[in-house]
Amino acid sequence: MGTGPDAASGPPSRLGPGRTGPLLPDAEDLPPRLRPERCGPRLPPASAMPNSVLWAVDLFGRVYTLSTAGQYWELCKDSQLEFKRVSATTQCCWGIACDNQVYVYVCASDVPIRRREEAYENQVAALMVGAAERRWNPVGGFCEKLLLSDRWAWSDVSGLQHRPLDGVALPSPHWEWESDWYVDENFGGEPTEKGGWTYAIDFPATYTKEKKWNSCVRRRKWIRYRRYKSRDIWAKIPSKDDPKELPDPFNDLSVGGWEITEEPVGRLSVWAVSLQGKVWYREDVSHSNPEGSSWSLLDTPGEVVQISCGPHDLLWATLWEGQALVREGINRSNPKGSSWSIVEPPGSDNGIMHVSVGVSVVWAVTKDWKVWFRRGINSHNPCGTSWIEMVGEMTMVNVGMNDQVWGIGCEDRAVYFRQGVTPSELSGKTWKAIVAARECDRSHSGSSSSLLSAGCFFGDEVRGSGESAPSDTDASSEVERPGPGQTLPAEPLDDSKNAMENSASGPGAGRTTEDTVEDACPAEGSREARPNTHPGPATTPAELPWTNIDLKEPKKVPSHSAAGFPETTSLSSLGLFPLGLEEPYGVDDHPLWAWVSGGGCMVEACAVPRWFTVQAGLSSSVHMLSLSITPAQTAAWRKQIFQQLTERTKRELENFRHYEQAVEQSVWVKTGALQWWCDWKPHKWVDVRVALEQFTGHDGARDSILFIYYVVHEEKKYIHIFLNEVVALVPVLNETKHSFALYTPERTRQRWPVRLAAATEQDMNDWLALLSLSCCESRKVQGRPSPQAIWSITCKGDIFVSEPSPDLEAHEHPLPCDQMFWRQMGGHLRMVEANSRGVVWGIGYDHTAWVYTGGYGGGCFQGLASSTSNIYMQSDVKCVHIYENQRWNPVTGYTSSRDRISPCWSGWSPTPELSKPASASQSVEITGIVRREPPRLSSTSAFSKLMK
Amino acid sequence: MHYPIGLLFDLLASSSALPWNITVHFKSFPEKDLLHCPSKDAIEAHFMSCMKEADALKHKSQVINEMQKKDHKQLWMGLQNDRFDQFWAINRKLMEYPAEENGFRYIPFRIYQTTTERPFIQKLFRPVAADGQLHTLGDLLKEVCPSAVDPEDGEKKNQVMIHGIEPMLETPLQWLSEHLSYPDNFLHISIIPQPTD
């Protein structure tokens, strides 16, 4: 209670959080100095790609993170506990540990987590009777002892709750006091007198800081800050279990909802599923309260096994029976949602085992490990329309930020990343294994020994004789290890952990190494006196003969060819698509993963982390071989094929890496006939041929030039415009021509834009869209405007957006607005306002309020490659009044014949002459903006509007 | 007849210095030598007919005929869009064979030589001999193209190329067919004279 804002103190702040303003004690818990927004937006802007981490749990419950900037899995800083589930966000990670308890790991950062505790000290004036005056006079001091009927001497802000200072306890062991209690000498933004007392006539009243003659009561506020101290460690969340009932431990957990609302800062939705299939929601989780306050139970139509909460309003769960449950009605004011609906699995034989949702995607894994993508998900239809089967077999998938997808391969237990997931292609292109090694693997030998141990299977030349002893040890410990189940004597090197882990993973892991090892051991007879467990690195033989790995019987062949996904793929990519050679599939000694969470991992399609290539100098194809040595009877031919393929790749590809990609570099031309306003003699529209040449550089950047060919005095001439110089493309409404203008800084200065006109509106829209896209491409502007974008409208109601420089710093010489690049958004507004968080509202000419929904394109951009989601119809009405002007003439009466100045039809402003028909009202079809009814209307009407 | 570009390189240009210079002609299509594909659909049809032919050899067309139209489409789209996993998800089925057999019924292969007029050699050849022994690449060449096989003791005169490499003649043919086939499911083998330098 004591932490709430003090409603009685001071006028409501008109400044939003994070703005500079007078120090308002009631603004929020944190003093403004420490409020995160002051240091810039807390969430990274979409354009930048800061380091973020992918969380994963291996088969042994150890939690690892992989940074987008790193190449190694790092063991979680707090590795005391073993986990079975983790669900990450940028600022924290929730997990269920092996003890079935829930833990939260709050990442360390510069922003402290502080909360203010408040308590009020209340006093009443000691009333004295003046004998002479015979009346009550409040002249005495204030006394500390209050009457029984009065309020508590120490209370919360309402005065109704008793709240002594020493009774205010820390909510959990993860908090510590920052300082002792002190008196707040700040009242409504102004300093009080020493002591911080505020006065009033009586309790429940309005307090003032001045003491008046009739001030009978006074109170003052005591403040103490507590700080969350358990950062970078797993902090246990108190169990929900009622000691009187049987325990029902948690089984699954998912964190999301950070995009639903930003109030309070860092708010999260934490959902959990218990073993009995019940769904629980953690109340009040936010930046300043990372642990939340309590678990509340939600009704479900069946027993839930697994749950997934997206960053926004998507929440899916799976039922024991294999259907999916979809939560409906989640929104800003109701993050828990209101009802469930059921989605049937893709097939009746195999129910859904696992779902994972993003902002607008749903992925699922069925009980036969098949991966499915849900089609038709959007904010109005959280259930989607149908399932699409994806390639690959996974034990689980996880959708992270940006709707990027990770999965854990069913065969090899590797973490896969879905490549090519973009807003326009949410299902991505292909699974790619993350081959990053663990930090611990790297550290235990001079070279990347896990890779070398892979190499040892493929012949002596890879290992060479000069390899360092530790890596040899590593290799032999792997090959010579006794079968699974047998314990190893203490290994001399610190790779023992590694070896143990391999032996513990046992059969059925589907990894060739393991199988080879198992087969190898009994058939070892021919090998020369090599002890099963050698005492130390010194005795390690320098070479393993190639035949050691060839003990596998060829009977495996059929199953191998049917094995499918990762294994066969890698192999055959050798044969069919030589380019696939760079794709290493799984390092031999790779960790086996159980769970992955990408909720805190920001990967953008344009900048994929370096997780997919092996860092050591080993040729990557060697690793592929490790997966493909199934029928290994005749290794010579096999060895030679891979060796030759590697050499061929080097010969045919690597030497030409620096060559520009021929296919990527394209010149693309669109030509057409337009009219061009000739600004010199004869000052009229002239027919021109135009050609847009678009070329792609080897770095993928596109640039375009617009040529305008015209004939003057029978002489052919042309002008050209580099589209990367164009700052604005503006449609010019004109009743006779469908025209538009191109501005460059130079042409704006000369007041001489290039004006072009098309024969039809469609034609104009096509050109406008194409030119606009080309301009955006050459300036690398794509997707929706960033939250920092600057919005403006023209006098005609067209909406334009400009992106400020990414660092948001004011330049020494700020760019004048006529040199900024403005791109048009579909839509039509009279006024537009935006805030720094990307909320954009506008008012149409018919006084309707509109809110920007995050789509881009629309308007003339329909039908071109742009976002089709979040684009809706907008209608606007602009009334143009036309006055019929007639002059009275004594001879003819009123006549419309023209006189000196006024045209016979005129608009409401001295604009050009209007022809009579059609202009009474002008309806413009616009998109990109959704109509938001005024707040007083019910939301159903807003929806019916949307349905249209 | 259209050859895959990798085959053309192996057959005609493998000894030339890289990068390979290609001249693209826009007119005078050699109608006599090449089937003119008027549209993308024709190329797709040609590709699919190759696949069907290969499956006829491998599985008496059983696998390809059991596929749905959308699977066929996916094979083509996967190839066209350079999406290997999309392609392989379907093609994988074409690479399977019954567990009781040791391989395909016949190996779909074509042997090309620059030295003869004949466009290519294509015969029925089983991956497994009557005695259960796996046939090798060398067995195939001895059987269908003995001139390509160099005598044991003699000088090496020919190169046997697949995908720009020379697999050893001891390589089992079944394995080659599964792993080194072109997207059309044929094993395209070029026999070119050993460079003399």
Side-chain angles (χ1 to χ4, degrees):
Chain A
M1 279 302 282
T3 53
D6 183 356
S9 61
S13 161
R14 291 197 55 229
L15 297 163
R19 302 277 181 85
T20 32
L23 190 131
L24 294 172
D26 56 339
E28 246 190 72
D29 291 328
L30 293 175
R33 174 172 60 89
L34 291 164
R35 290 247 291 289
E37 297 97 322
R38 297 291 302 275
C39 329
R42 247 167 34 77
L43 287 178
S47 54
M49 193 165 140
N51 295 347
S52 56
V53 293
L54 180 68
W55 290 72
V57 182
D58 73 4
L59 276 188
F60 310 100
R62 286 180 304 226
V63 180
Y64 287 86
T65 57
L66 177 60
S67 162
T68 49
Q71 292 168 310
Y72 294 96
W73 288 101
E74 287 177 41
L75 195 61
C76 180
K77 286 197 184 99
D78 177 10
S79 55
Q80 301 294 313
L81 280 163
E82 284 152 12
F83 278 79
K84 55 181 191 180
R85 290 280 190 278
V86 289
S87 183
T89 70
T90 41
Q91 72 259 32
C92 67
C93 182
W94 286 66
I96 300 177
C98 54
D99 58 0
N100 289 321
Q101 299 291 327
V102 175
Y103 290 80
V104 63
Y105 183 98
V106 180
C107 302
S109 88
D110 299 335
V111 185
I113 297 173
R114 305 168 84 225
R115 281 200 81 149
R116 186 168 66 181
E117 294 289 352
E118 293 171 358
Y120 287 87
E121 185 182 355
N122 306 300
Q123 289 186 352
V124 176
L127 303 178
M128 290 175 65
V129 181
E133 320 290 326
R134 283 203 161 268
R135 58 184 170 102
W136 300 101
N137 198 7
V139 290
F142 286 86
C143 81
E144 283 180 28
K145 286 230 163 58
L146 275 73
L147 299 174
L148 267 180
S149 58
D150 277 322
R151 56 174 54 193
W152 301 100
W154 295 92
S155 74
D156 66 348
V157 63
S158 70
L160 304 174
Q161 290 281 321
H162 184 42
R163 195 171 163 86
L165 289 189
D166 53 1
V168 179
L170 289 169
S172 78
H174 306 295
W175 294 86
E176 65 189 0
W177 292 114
E178 259 189 5
S179 58
D180 204 352
W181 289 97
Y182 66 93
V183 168
D184 183 18
E185 295 185 343
N186 206 321
F187 181 73
E190 291 172 39
T192 60
E193 284 172 33
K194 197 89 182 136
W197 290 104
T198 55
Y199 300 87
I201 302 168
D202 195 3
F203 291 126
T206 315
Y207 292 86
T208 58
K209 67 190 182 75
E210 291 89 20
K211 184 179 176 182
K212 295 186 189 130
W213 66 270
N214 59 353
S215 296
C216 294
V217 299
R218 65 175 185 178
R219 71 167 186 184
R220 59 179 172 178
K221 182 157 71 177
W222 290 78
I223 292 176
R224 190 180 197 187
Y225 283 96
R226 59 182 157 96
R227 180 201 292 268
Y228 188 78
K229 64 175 179 184
S230 298
R231 305 191 91 168
D232 269 357
I233 63 167
W234 291 102
K236 189 170 169 180
I237 302 292
S239 161
K240 66 170 171 47
D241 284 331
D242 184 348
K244 278 173 270 176
E245 285 177 29
L246 281 176
D248 180 20
F250 284 127
N251 192 35
D252 189 36
L253 168 142
S254 181
V255 184
W258 56 84
E259 283 179 17
I260 295 178
T261 163
E262 303 214 329
E263 202 57 46
V265 173
R267 199 206 72 85
L268 292 174
S269 297
V270 180
W271 296 80
V273 172
S274 69
L275 218 50
Q276 290 175 19
K278 293 176 181 160
V279 171
W280 300 79
Y281 176 84
R282 185 80 183 164
E283 302 281 354
D284 304 329
V285 181
S286 66
H287 170 80
S288 58
N289 190 20
E291 303 161 288
S293 57
S294 62
W295 291 104
S296 42
L297 181 65
L298 274 85
D299 286 332
T300 45
E303 280 185 41
V304 175
V305 274
Q306 186 259 332
I307 198 159
S308 174
C309 177
H312 200 67
D313 52 7
L314 270 186
L315 177 79
W316 280 52
T318 48
L319 291 176
W320 273 109
E321 289 78 20
Q323 299 103 325
L325 272 188
V326 183
R327 190 73 177 165
E328 307 221 29
I330 293 182
N331 58 45
R332 193 185 150 78
S333 55
N334 183 18
K336 282 197 265 187
S338 47
S339 60
W340 296 101
S341 46
I342 289 183
V343 167
E344 292 298 324
S348 50
D349 313 337
N350 288 297
I352 299 171
M353 182 175 70
H354 182 101
V355 289
S356 188
V357 302
V359 175
S360 51
V361 294
V362 174
W363 290 71
V365 178
T366 45
K367 286 170 182 161
D368 52 355
W369 315 114
K370 289 210 170 88
V371 181
W372 302 81
F373 177 83
R374 186 76 178 170
R375 202 202 299 256
I377 301 278
N378 59 50
S379 50
H380 306 295
N381 181 15
C383 297
T385 51
S386 60
W387 294 105
I388 311 173
E389 186 180 347
M390 306 308 285
V391 174
E393 294 187 343
M394 299 277 161
T395 61
M396 59 93 63
V397 289
N398 186 272
V399 182
M401 293 173 93
N402 268 347
D403 287 343
Q404 300 292 321
V405 183
W406 285 269
I408 290 180
C410 162
E411 294 263 332
D412 57 356
R413 288 281 185 169
V415 176
Y416 285 84
F417 172 66
R418 186 76 185 169
Q419 269 201 313
V421 174
T422 59
S424 56
E425 192 162 22
L426 289 164
S427 57
K429 276 190 120 171
T430 176
W431 293 108
K432 198 160 187 185
I434 295 177
V435 298
R438 284 161 302 187
E439 194 83 43
C440 55
D441 299 334
R442 184 176 58 153
S443 55
H444 74 109
S445 83
S447 54
S448 182
S449 62
S450 60
L451 308 183
L452 286 168
S453 68
C456 82
F457 291 105
F458 302 99
D460 352 70
E461 77 281 354
V462 178
R463 296 181 66 229
S465 50
E467 287 306 338
S468 62
S471 68
D472 283 345
T473 318
D474 183 48
S476 48
S477 73
E478 238 178 50
V479 176
E480 298 188 16
R481 190 176 339 105
Q486 265 180 268
T487 44
L488 285 172
E491 288 262 340
L493 286 179
D494 55 352
D495 60 356
S496 59
K497 196 169 80 176
N498 223 359
M500 295 280 283
E501 173 192 313
N502 280 341
S503 66
S505 61
R511 289 203 309 149
T512 325
T513 339
E514 230 74 55
D515 295 351
T516 315
V517 169
E518 283 154 37
D519 287 356
C521 293
E524 198 105 356
S526 63
R527 249 202 274 166
E528 275 118 24
R530 292 180 58 180
N532 252 3
T533 52
H534 49 87
T539 64
T540 308
E543 283 184 298
L544 284 170
W546 166 255
T547 48
N548 279 353
I549 66 140
D550 294 331
L551 298 157
K552 174 143 291 201
E553 291 305 311
K555 63 173 185 282
K556 272 279 280 184
V557 175
S559 76
H560 165 243
S561 67
F565 177 47
E567 199 170 347
T568 339
T569 304
S570 67
L571 240 191
S572 307
S573 66
L574 271 179
L576 296 170
F577 291 90
L579 279 170
L581 261 182
E582 298 90 52
E583 297 194 11
Y585 276 84
V587 178
D588 172 61
D589 189 25
H590 77 170
L592 304 179
W593 298 106
W595 198 262
V596 63
S597 175
C601 189
M602 189 76 160
V603 177
E604 293 196 30
C606 53
V608 173
R610 293 172 297 164
W611 294 341
F612 307 104
T613 48
V614 176
Q615 285 80 45
L618 271 175
S619 149
S620 57
S621 61
V622 170
H623 308 296
M624 301 177 56
L625 310 193
S626 66
L627 284 169
S628 56
I629 40 164
T630 13
Q633 201 168 28
T634 41
W637 57 263
R638 171 185 286 276
K639 193 170 95 176
Q640 204 199 348
I641 283 176
F642 287 119
Q643 189 189 328
Q644 287 190 12
L645 282 173
T646 311
E647 281 168 15
R648 191 203 65 175
T649 307
K650 208 176 274 173
R651 183 175 73 236
E652 294 182 1
L653 295 175
E654 280 176 15
N655 294 340
F656 304 103
R657 282 276 151 81
H658 61 283
Y659 272 59
E660 293 164 10
Q661 287 259 319
V663 192
E664 298 287 314
Q665 195 182 25
S666 61
V667 175
W668 184 89
V669 182
K670 178 181 161 98
T671 57
L674 292 177
Q675 284 194 314
W676 169 61
W677 179 259
C678 185
D679 234 6
W680 49 80
K681 267 190 176 174
H683 285 291
K684 64 171 188 184
W685 290 97
V686 294
D687 289 330
V688 290
R689 300 283 308 168
V690 289
L692 177 71
E693 269 192 38
Q694 205 174 56
F695 39 90
T696 312
H698 55 88
D699 55 347
R702 285 210 190 149
D703 222 335
S704 313
I705 307 176
L706 180 69
F707 292 93
I708 300 170
Y709 301 95
Y710 61 99
V711 180
V712 63
H713 303 306
E714 291 174 10
E715 196 183 344
K716 284 182 180 172
K717 292 190 168 182
Y718 75 91
I719 58 171
H720 66 278
I721 300 133
F722 292 103
L723 288 195
N724 61 6
E725 290 177 359
V726 170
V727 292
L729 275 161
V730 185
V732 181
L733 285 178
N734 179 323
E735 70 274 17
T736 51
K737 297 261 184 242
H738 305 284
S739 70
F740 57 94
L742 279 91
Y743 289 84
T744 63
E746 181 60 21
R747 286 177 180 274
T748 310
R749 200 177 58 76
Q750 297 174 357
R751 302 193 177 279
W752 184 49
V754 176
R755 289 173 64 191
L756 292 165
T760 65
E761 189 177 350
Q762 182 60 44
D763 202 15
M764 180 189 83
N765 281 346
D766 285 352
W767 274 102
L768 256 184
L770 180 66
L771 290 172
S772 182
L773 274 182
S774 304
C775 289
C776 289
E777 272 171 355
S778 63
R779 289 178 184 263
K780 298 196 173 60
V781 174
Q782 57 175 348
R784 58 171 292 181
S786 74
Q788 294 82 27
I790 302 161
W791 293 69
S792 75
I793 47 168
T794 65
C795 56
K796 302 279 185 195
D798 294 318
I799 304 159
F800 283 83
V801 181
S802 180
E803 293 291 336
S805 67
D807 54 2
L808 294 176
E809 287 290 323
H811 289 278
E812 210 171 324
H813 305 289
L815 209 57
C817 73
D818 58 356
Q819 290 177 27
M820 290 158 50
F821 171 63
W822 295 92
R823 66 167 163 152
Q824 192 176 1
M825 303 296 288
H828 190 260
L829 292 174
R830 188 166 62 174
M831 243 177 108
V832 69
E833 281 283 336
N835 78 346
S836 62
R837 292 304 184 86
V839 179
V840 182
W841 283 57
I843 299 174
Y845 274 84
D846 59 354
H847 309 289
T848 312
W850 301 81
V851 65
Y852 175 62
T853 57
Y856 56 94
C860 63
F861 306 105
Q862 270 165 334
L864 274 165
S866 64
S867 135
T868 48
S869 59
N870 289 325
I871 292 184
Y872 311 93
M873 194 63 87
Q874 185 193 19
S875 62
D876 196 1
V877 176
K878 180 175 172 179
C879 291
V880 178
H881 302 279
I882 295 169
Y883 298 93
E884 187 177 0
N885 305 310
Q886 292 193 346
R887 177 176 283 276
W888 185 78
N889 183 297
V891 182
T892 56
Y894 285 99
T895 168
S896 61
S897 70
R898 302 184 64 162
D899 62 11
R900 297 183 308 276
I901 39 166
S902 52
C904 57
W905 293 95
S906 69
W908 42 265
S909 65
T911 43
E913 206 169 324
L914 293 161
S915 57
K916 185 178 171 187
S919 55
S921 81
Q922 182 185 19
S923 175
V924 192
E925 273 188 6
I926 316 176
T927 49
I929 298 257
V930 169
R931 180 170 187 160
R932 165 70 54 94
E933 295 291 339
R936 64 179 180 278
L937 291 184
S938 70
S939 62
T940 45
S941 69
F943 276 112
S944 68
K945 179 76 186 171
L946 291 179
M947 292 309 164
K948 280 190 243 168
Chain B
M1 182 54 72
H2 293 279
Y3 290 177
I5 190 162
L7 170 66
L8 288 171
F9 181 78
D10 283 353
L11 197 58
L12 307 169
S14 60
S15 57
S16 62
L18 289 168
W20 191 21
N21 290 316
I22 300 174
T23 312
V24 180
H25 298 277
F26 292 96
K27 51 190 178 192
S28 316
F29 189 88
E31 304 277 353
K32 272 191 289 183
D33 307 315
L34 283 178
L35 197 65
H36 200 153
C37 291
S39 67
K40 207 161 72 173
D41 295 342
I43 298 173
E44 180 184 347
H46 172 73
F47 172 75
M48 286 312 297
S49 89
C50 285
M51 283 219 136
K52 285 174 182 167
E53 183 182 348
D55 199 55
L57 293 168
K58 290 196 282 192
H59 309 105
K60 297 188 195 163
S61 297
Q62 279 164 359
V63 179
I64 195 112
N65 286 345
E66 277 168 24
M67 283 182 185
Q68 294 174 357
K69 179 79 187 150
K70 75 171 171 67
D71 297 336
H72 290 179
K73 208 76 194 165
Q74 187 171 336
L75 282 169
W76 170 247
M77 295 305 286
L79 178 73
Q80 189 187 309
N81 300 334
D82 189 21
R83 288 195 176 188
F84 180 75
D85 65 345
Q86 191 183 4
F87 173 82
W88 194 257
I90 306 298
N91 197 56
R92 186 179 88 186
K93 297 175 192 149
L94 295 168
M95 289 297 174
E96 289 167 1
Y97 50 86
E100 62 273 15
E101 314 266 331
N102 279 326
F104 300 137
R105 198 173 140 80
Y106 297 105
I107 297 291
F109 72 92
R110 282 173 188 169
I111 296 176
Y112 304 79
Q113 287 169 287
T114 44
T115 49
T116 62
E117 285 296 303
R118 202 174 163 183
F120 55 79
I121 302 169
Q122 181 177 352
K123 287 183 176 166
L124 292 179
F125 192 82
R126 288 185 186 270
V128 187
D131 59 357
Q133 200 73 30
L134 282 175
H135 274 144
T136 63
L137 179 61
D139 296 337
L140 170 76
L141 292 175
K142 274 191 213 115
E143 171 88 23
V144 302
C145 186
S147 63
V149 186
D150 300 310
E152 292 267 326
D153 46 351
E155 194 192 346
K156 190 168 182 257
K157 287 192 191 126
N158 290 309
Q159 284 183 313
V160 180
M161 302 277 276
I162 309 173
H163 285 296
I165 61 168
E166 284 184 85
M168 286 171 76
L169 296 183
E170 293 77 33
T171 313
L173 204 55
Q174 175 65 31
W175 189 93
L176 284 175
S177 184
E178 282 174 53
H179 300 302
L180 289 187
S181 284
Y182 280 66
D184 62 7
N185 278 238
F186 271 89
L187 203 52
H188 295 286
I189 304 165
S190 334
I191 293 169
I192 55 172
Q194 175 81 19
T196 46
D197 50 83

